[in-house]
Amino acid sequence: MSTAITASEVHKQYTEAAAAFRKLIPDPSLRLTFSRQVDGYIRQYVLGVWQADNASSITPRHVEFYNAIWTPGNPVPSALYWEVASGVANFDLFQPPAFFQDLRQYDRRSGTALARRFADQLTLLLLLFAAVDGVVSESEAGFVNACNDALLELCDKDGLRANRPAIRVDQFVTPRSGQPAAPAVKEEAVPAKQEKPSPAEPEPTLDELLAQLDALCGLDKVKKDVKSLINLVKVRKLREEAGLPVPPMSLHLVFMGNPGTGKTTVARLLAKIYHVVGVLSKGQLVEVDRSGLVAGFVGQTALKAQEAVQKAIGGVLFIDEAYALVNADSANDFGHEAIEVILKNMEDHRDDLIVIVAGYTDRMEQFIHSNPGLESRFNKYFFFEDYDGKQLMEIFRSMCGANGYTLSEEGEKFMEKDLQELYEERDENFGNARDVRNLFEQAVARQADRVSQLEEPTKEQLMELLPGDLEEPI
């Protein structure tokens, strides 16, 4: 860990991180609350980090870093040495920020993951300030992990499920003299999901995988493009075996479309298909986003990105919301470093690594054109269209069937009308299948409240969803 980073650079990193998170908050009132409160809470938590290390070792450098914690529109701190030292010595217990409860309430209503994202962002920020002296001690890492655990426990109590493992900071601990250096990213530190066939189960055949692809709702154009790509790969393999020349071809892909349109599902199937046809040696899918590739301070991003890539070799590295790696306002953003690491590995492992980048259509086009290396390696685009009302209804029925629920005749009519309206009135926040899943889970919860009042409910009553279960109360 380099000590060359300055207070002004820390301020820049902090404001960029705060601004990036603020943009994720759709609700204007909640966004304003976050903006007003975040600086004070981060300053308080930084005092706790430094107390965990050694409260008596505060230096002028600590004071400079402390005074770097402010965002535009908020007061600029001008604390003196004795104020910071006293604050460190008197830090008591970690208390979640007041706005964290508002984030969780919004997540429960909207099916978002703002609270868990804030927990990840806080972890990375506190690591930045833990390294003020060039060292991240075990006690500092322990404090940061404890803060993260406290926030995630509240998320768990509210039923806010995690879609990726929490960030852990143990791997950033600076080893004591004589100890081997800890790896830059431990297995649990990369927010990634890795899938590979169980050794006890036979691997699926190409026909079985194509049947799974055909069974997906909608996506007719995507299915056609996938099958065309598979045919191209198969013919290339046959030409290789026949000793015929095979022109160079990039198999890296760009998936464009709104959330909930099946991009991750198709990527998972493609990884397995590529393995079956002999393009990839393993066929696993490793899914990451910016937080799984970019660290919060100097010197760690390249290591973190390299670790994620290493896990994906032999399979597919799927980068969701890939455009978040490019910060148009900062040429020095660490996301650019992650992109360079990925591009280098795409070349070094071009025979056994495929990268799929995914996100909103317009933002993905800007992302690809932001770097000549990206333009030259990604030339195949798959567009995932929104599901229409009938397809949304088909998805809802499949969720009912898979979970042992049935729709009454009135419930069927209600959902058909409700989902058609959801499609027709969709905006930039439309979540496709994710919205359907949220509606299903809310209906199940309301049905449970209703059925629990029955003395001896029948099997049919335990399964049936009525219009009252499906309609959100006013």
Side-chain angles (χ1 to χ4, degrees), residues 218-344:
L219 304 178
D220 294 339
K221 180 66 166 60
V222 170
K223 293 173 183 176
K224 180 179 178 181
D225 289 343
V226 168
K227 292 175 182 178
S228 177
L229 182 62
I230 294 169
N231 291 335
L232 179 60
V233 170
K234 290 166 66 176
V235 170
R236 282 172 58 86
K237 297 290 288 185
L238 292 174
R239 287 180 62 88
E240 284 181 353
E241 294 170 0
L244 296 172
V246 178
M249 181 187 74
S250 172
L251 295 177
H252 307 295
L253 302 171
V254 180
F255 283 6
M256 302 187 300
N258 289 328
T261 46
K263 295 188 289 291
T264 305
T265 301
V266 172
R268 185 177 295 112
L269 284 172
L270 260 178
K272 296 177 180 178
I273 289 171
Y274 278 146
H275 172 57
V276 169
V277 299
V279 173
L280 295 172
S281 61
K282 298 177 183 177
Q284 80 277 20
L285 178 81
V286 174
E287 181 185 352
V288 295
D289 59 10
R290 178 185 168 95
S291 67
L293 297 170
V294 180
F297 46 88
V298 173
Q300 292 294 336
T301 290
L303 296 172
K304 193 171 188 179
Q306 184 65 36
E307 180 72 12
V309 171
Q310 285 297 126
K311 292 175 65 178
I313 291 175
V316 169
L317 179 66
F318 181 81
I319 307 175
D320 197 16
E321 298 179 356
Y323 45 78
L325 293 174
V326 176
N327 185 342
D329 298 327
S330 173
N332 297 319
D333 179 74
F334 295 148
H336 295 280
E337 184 179 1
I339 291 173
E340 293 303 322
V341 171
I342 293 167
L343 290 175
K344 183 178 186 303

Side-chain angles (χ1 to χ4, degrees), residues 9-164:
E9 291 172 325
V10 167
H11 168 67
K12 184 171 181 292
Q13 292 179 37
Y14 171 70
T15 54
E16 288 176 352
F21 185 80
R22 186 167 56 247
K23 289 179 181 178
L24 295 175
I25 305 176
D27 182 82
S29 176
L30 179 54
R31 189 162 57 242
L32 179 61
T33 299
F34 169 81
S35 299
R36 288 175 174 173
Q37 296 181 3
V38 64
D39 292 351
Y41 278 105
I42 297 299
R43 284 197 287 267
Q44 186 68 15
Y45 301 152
V46 166
L47 296 177
V49 172
W50 293 339
Q51 184 191 78
D53 185 34
N54 187 348
S56 64
S57 62
I58 301 302
T59 68
R61 184 175 173 81
H62 289 80
V63 180
E64 291 179 6
F65 274 45
Y66 180 88
N67 287 332
I69 304 173
W70 61 275
T71 50
N74 285 338
V76 180
S78 56
L80 302 176
Y81 176 87
W82 68 268
E83 292 176 301
V84 174
S86 176
V88 170
N90 294 323
F91 178 85
D92 189 7
L93 296 173
F94 171 80
Q95 297 291 341
F99 62 76
F100 193 69
Q101 179 176 351
D102 298 331
L103 291 177
R104 300 192 330 266
Q105 290 176 347
Y106 186 87
D107 286 344
R108 289 198 299 271
R109 294 195 307 268
S110 308
T112 50
L114 293 175
R116 287 186 177 273
R117 286 203 175 200
F118 174 77
D120 285 345
Q121 192 64 257
L122 178 64
T123 296
L124 295 174
L125 284 175
L126 293 186
L127 275 173
L128 174 63
F129 289 93
V132 60
D133 54 358
V135 173
V136 178
S137 67
E138 292 183 3
S139 55
E140 286 175 319
F143 176 84
V144 176
N145 276 336
C147 295
N148 184 271
D149 290 341
L151 297 182
L152 296 185
E153 183 179 356
L154 293 173
C155 293
D156 292 338
K157 287 182 178 178
D158 286 348
L160 302 175
R161 297 179 301 175
N163 57 8
R164 55 175 64 90

Side-chain angles (χ1 to χ4, degrees), residues 453-470:
Q453 304 302 314
L454 304 177
E455 287 191 8
E456 294 184 6
T458 64
K459 180 178 179 181
E460 288 72 19
Q461 289 174 321
L462 290 170
M463 297 174 65
E464 190 174 44
L465 295 174
L466 303 177
D469 306 321
L470 301 167

